[in-house]
Amino acid sequence: PAAMNYLAWAYYNLATAKGDSAELSRKNFLNSAEAFLKLLAMNPNDENAPTWQYQAGQAYMNASDYQRAVEC
């Protein structure tokens, strides 16, 4: 799960970078959320599972995908 964890955080950090277009940031937030949820699905009992679930919701929220954010 380490590689997927890094990927999820990389997408999240890219989305928060200054200078990117709003659409690129939104895409990176969505990619981040999907990676966090994939981590959660693959490792539901991992000690980091609550963080991944929270971060997926945060990423969806930042992407203005409120319905999916609530579902996390």
Side-chain angles (χ1 to χ4, degrees):
M4 182 65 74
N5 188 42
Y6 289 123
L7 179 64
W9 280 107
Y11 277 129
Y12 194 89
N13 289 331
L14 281 171
T16 62
K18 302 292 183 206
D20 286 341
S21 70
E23 185 56 36
L24 182 57
S25 290
R26 184 176 189 284
K27 181 178 176 183
N28 283 327
F29 277 127
L30 292 173
N31 286 335
S32 173
E34 290 169 15
F36 282 123
L37 289 177
K38 188 177 286 188
L39 270 168
L40 186 61
M42 292 171 29
N43 307 284
N45 298 318
D46 190 285
E47 66 183 25
N48 293 311
T51 300
W52 298 332
Q53 185 173 9
Y54 174 81
Q55 284 305 133
Q58 282 293 110
Y60 281 132
M61 184 71 85
N62 287 327
S64 299
D65 193 336
Y66 305 115
Q67 183 61 42
R68 287 164 75 181
V70 169
E71 293 169 359
C72 286

